[in-house]
Amino acid sequence: MKVITKEHVTHILSRDNKPCEAIKSGELAVFETYDCFTNRFIPEGTDYYNTPKMPGNPATGPLYIEGALPGDMLKIDILDIETGPTGIVMLGPNSGNEREFFEKRVIKRVPVKDGFAWYGNRIAIPVRPMIGVIGVAPEGEGVSTITPLDHGGNMDCTQIRKGVSLYLPVFAEGALLSMGDFHAVMGEGEIEDCGLEIEGKATIRATAVKDFYVPWPLIDTGDKWITIASKETVDLAYQAAARQMYTFLTEKAGMKEEDAAMLMTMTGDLIICQTVNPTMTVRMEFPKRILWEYNKKA
């Protein structure tokens, strides 16, 4: 099993990035990652103003998957996510819904132990590890790891977690998968600049899938299908996520158009993933149970 260490860092997802490792389709790999601040605030006594400035969201990779070609989907089974012992949460004047109340950057270190994040050593928050940045090389020019688009990237979706399968469209030979920006826990919407940012390690299986293609990220949680859209505004993102689900249900799942729309409005959920990145991210969730019952023979 290939282990990709966190020294293999990129800040741009691009077809021009040289792979640091390669695996065959269907093999396992481990990605070791920095937190989104390249771990520079973990040592006691450091703060935003006395540490060297570095680019945000370092992503480990890219990994070349043999047999993955443009027009395929890359299926990424997330088998495990481990986190480090210290998370970082930050507020500041440049991002977040309450940014006008914080003239300077404020940083807090939060210990993570025994399945809980200990805020102030008295508030125990159950951890829900997730991958904030995960993406392949986009079509065309490279894209910053801060920006999410149809190739994935900084989607900050809480459902990109242990036990799910993430599908990403392949735009370049080998897909060139990278990931980073793990969170120990994050509220839906990521409204105040960041989640509990943390270093970590993810074990994944990457498989090139033929004869199944959608041009945007898709998640299979086992009991739900989830479409993910990132656009310039939340309004555009929710409209795109809903249209993606409608397209998936009618073109891939075999639903009639009116049935898809009616069942979406009765049983589908639109959820904001993040509101702080250059493009906003919204997901739509649809229960598989509805599909199973819909496709039962009368």
Side-chain angles (χ1 to χ4, degrees), residues 23 30 44 70 74-75 87-88 100 102 109 158 161 181 196 200 211 213-214 230 237 246 259 277 279 293 296:
I23 62 171
V30 174
E44 293 289 339
L74 185 67
K75 181 185 180 187
I88 304 294
E100 68 266 26
F102 301 94
R109 295 172 190 83
T158 61
R161 53 179 171 78
D181 184 35
L196 185 57
D211 302 321
Y213 184 80
V214 293
S230 298
Y246 175 80
D259 293 332
N277 297 330
T279 51
E293 294 180 2
K296 282 182 181 178

Side-chain angles (χ1 to χ4, degrees), residues 23-28 63-77 136 165-177 204-214:
I23 62 171
K24 294 180 180 178
S25 175
E27 289 188 337
L28 304 186
L63 173 66
Y64 184 100
I65 295 89
E66 295 178 12
L69 299 172
D72 296 342
M73 294 296 281
L74 185 67
K75 181 185 180 187
I76 306 150
D77 299 312
V136 297
S165 297
L166 170 66
Y167 292 81
L168 294 173
V170 177
F171 299 107
E173 182 180 336
L176 301 180
L177 176 67
I204 62 100
R205 177 185 293 108
T207 306
V209 177
K210 312 291 181 178
D211 302 321
F212 172 75
Y213 184 80
V214 293

